[in-house]
Amino acid sequence: MNMSLINHPCIICCRPTSMWCSRCQNAWYCTPEHLQSDWPRHRRECVPITTPHAPYPNMIATPPPAQAELVSVAALVFQPDEERSRVSTVQCRPQGTISQGICPTPLLQDYFRESVPNTIILTQGLNGEPLRFPLHIWYCPTSLQRGSPINRAIYRITNGHASRPWCGPVVVLKFNGSRRQGYSDAGSNDLPALSAYFLAYK
């Protein structure tokens, strides 16, 4: 056995070890837990080796890159064949880091099977007052252009007085502030502003 392999100190506790990071083979750890705890720091300097080697028994598997977890928010859903809007949970995929302030992308493909949705950002509520939490309206442009199917839930909240009927599915998310860097839960208290918008739609 090559004794030089055990002369490397663990990066965390300095205990002699013969195990190293399997990705770069330059960082030594006495336990997989020590690699895991050091990974946020080590990942910045961990450069994969370029020549393929057969796995050694003393390698510690490097953790996979961190996957951004999906974020759940409540959205208002207006389906054409339903009489009322409903609150539904929508999953959003974070974009970049929190410090970058990029709004997550809602995963809405189940609501918009006919075409890619378009969006409108509603920044004014009743009587033109600015909304503290703007509303992000997602709709189907194909249904709107075709003029069918008429959205019964929107027809109901406008009492049928809209100058032009709204067609197809609509999903409304609520931004968590005027900078629009994320979403908060939408609910029934957002219906008056939406009703005013749908009534004014031409």
Side-chain angles (χ1 to χ4, degrees):
M1 180 174 159
N2 185 350
M3 294 303 286
S4 66
L5 287 177
I6 1 182
N7 289 333
H8 293 277
C10 171
I11 286 178
I12 301 297
C13 67
C14 296
R15 194 172 10 181
T17 182
S18 61
M19 294 184 284
W20 63 77
C21 170
S22 62
R23 189 166 181 250
C24 68
Q25 298 183 8
N26 270 334
W28 296 80
Y29 299 94
C30 64
T31 65
E33 291 77 22
H34 280 183
L35 170 59
Q36 193 77 32
S37 68
D38 190 46
W39 181 242
R41 181 204 63 81
H42 177 60
R43 76 183 313 160
R44 294 189 300 268
E45 65 186 24
C46 186
V47 178
I49 57 167
T50 53
T51 55
H53 290 288
Y56 293 100
N58 53 348
M59 281 187 189
I60 300 173
T62 304
Q67 292 288 328
E69 290 186 29
L70 296 178
V71 178
S72 298
V73 293
L76 284 170
V77 176
F78 297 83
Q79 288 288 18
D81 56 347
E82 296 176 2
E83 291 294 325
R84 297 180 185 273
S85 63
R86 61 184 160 84
V87 176
S88 184
T89 301
V90 169
Q91 300 291 324
C92 299
R93 177 169 286 117
Q95 304 294 312
T97 64
I98 293 171
S99 63
Q100 290 174 315
I102 302 171
C103 192
T105 302
L107 306 177
L108 300 174
Q109 60 273 17
D110 290 342
Y111 299 101
F112 300 99
R113 297 182 186 275
E114 194 173 352
S115 68
V116 175
N118 281 357
T119 68
I120 296 166
I121 297 174
L122 184 58
T123 58
Q124 293 182 340
L126 297 172
N127 304 318
E129 294 179 22
L131 291 175
R132 187 170 164 214
F133 302 102
L135 299 173
H136 202 179
I137 303 170
W138 298 75
Y139 66 95
C140 176
T142 305
S143 297
L144 210 51
Q145 287 171 350
R146 186 177 59 230
S148 69
I150 291 177
N151 191 306
R152 293 186 351 215
I154 294 175
Y155 184 87
R156 183 182 177 99
I157 68 165
T158 60
N159 294 319
H161 295 303
S163 55
R164 184 171 171 208
W166 197 276
C167 300
V170 174
V171 177
V172 180
L173 290 115
K174 182 183 198 172
F175 287 109
N176 61 5
S178 59
R179 294 174 67 190
R180 304 190 289 243
Q181 295 178 336
Y183 293 114
S184 59
D185 291 335
S188 59
N189 58 334
D190 298 307
L191 289 173
L194 288 167
S195 177
Y197 174 76
F198 293 135
L199 278 167
Y201 168 73
K202 296 183 183 196

